[in-house]
Each structure stands twice: as C-alpha cells, then as structure tokens.
Amino acid sequence: MASSEGKAIMGRNIKRLIKQREITAARLAEIVGVSTATISDWSNGKTYPRIDKIEAMADYFGVSKSDLVEDPDKVSTAVATDEPVLMAAHWGLDISGLPDEDRHRVIDRAKAYIEGLIADYEDRNAK
C-alpha cells in the first residue's frame, strides 16, 4: 500500500475514535500536545503522526497502536506484536496489508540494515 493510503487509514481511525469517545479534535490536540490543525491534518490523511503521538493517542483511547495504523477491515485475526506495523508507520509506510510472515521479514531486514548503519557510525566515531 502507498503511504498516502496509510495516512488515509490512520485518518479514518482517528475520526472513528474521536467520535466514539465523543470528544473534539481540539480536546485530542490538548491531550496529545499538538495543534488542532495537526489533528485535522492527521484526520484528513494529509500527514502522519510521529510514533510518540501514535502512542499517546493509543494510550488515551485505550487501544493498541496497531488499532490506529491498520485498516480494521483488513486486520489479520492472528495475534502479532505492534512493532512491525509501528516501525513502518514511523517511516510513513503501511505494511499492514502484507501477510504476517512477509511483514516480519521486511522489518527484520530493515532492522539489520539500521543496525549496520549504527555499527558503522560507532566504528567511525570510536577513535
């Protein structure tokens, strides 16, 4: 899925949760620590929240982080951690449509790549 679709999914989920909780976007903005315009941008699929803001919303709404970033109509019934979906969401990607095995493979490769970059950085700066 394209990142624009991921933004749209997140937006629909935020709107649904705001409506269920019967709060305003302004109230959610206060809770999360952003402007009302930022909540509007997220709700309308224009921008994507950072991980810390996803976590704050999940805590407030009492849902898992994946409940914010995944399409509820396409969520697998298999139990899995939120980590792969959240890592991809942090980069503006939506991998929730991938089968669990493929999703984890993508994240494992990304982790290995980043760990390699960190090791290279540490080696260069260890002098």
Side-chain angles (χ1 to χ4, degrees), residues 15 43 45-46 48 54 61 79 87 121:
K15 285 179 182 179
S43 297
K46 291 181 181 177
Y48 207 88
I54 292 171
F61 288 124
V79 175
M87 287 181 68
Y121 173 80

Side-chain angles (χ1 to χ4, degrees), residues 112-123:
Y113 177 73
I114 291 170
E115 288 169 354
L117 290 175
I118 292 169
D120 288 346
Y121 173 80
E122 289 171 346
D123 288 344

Side-chain angles (χ1 to χ4, degrees), residues 9-127:
I9 290 168
M10 171 69 82
R12 288 191 300 270
N13 289 336
I14 292 171
K15 285 179 182 179
R16 176 178 47 79
L17 291 165
I18 286 172
K19 185 175 180 178
Q20 285 176 353
R21 185 56 73 105
E22 297 180 349
I23 63 167
T24 64
R27 178 67 184 129
L28 182 60
E30 288 175 21
I31 292 163
V32 177
V34 297
S35 70
T36 303
T38 298
I39 297 294
S40 176
D41 286 347
W42 295 344
S43 297
N44 292 310
K46 291 181 181 177
T47 61
Y48 207 88
R50 292 189 331 250
I51 290 296
D52 63 318
K53 301 306 179 186
I54 292 171
E55 290 171 344
M57 286 188 287
D59 288 345
Y60 173 74
F61 288 124
V63 299
S64 70
K65 294 174 279 293
S66 63
D67 288 336
L68 285 167
V69 299
E70 292 182 339
D71 185 341
D73 297 328
K74 296 181 182 177
V75 173
S76 167
T77 56
V79 175
T81 67
D82 291 339
E83 183 183 17
V85 173
L86 290 173
M87 287 181 68
H90 182 70
W91 295 317
L93 304 173
D94 181 5
I95 62 170
S96 62
L98 294 175
D100 286 341
E101 185 176 320
D102 292 339
R103 184 173 42 217
H104 290 285
R105 186 177 312 120
V106 167
I107 294 303
D108 288 343
R109 287 181 182 172
K111 281 182 185 177
Y113 177 73
I114 291 170
E115 288 169 354
L117 290 175
I118 292 169
D120 288 346
Y121 173 80
E122 289 171 346
D123 288 344
R124 283 193 309 266
N125 292 303
K127 298 174 184 176

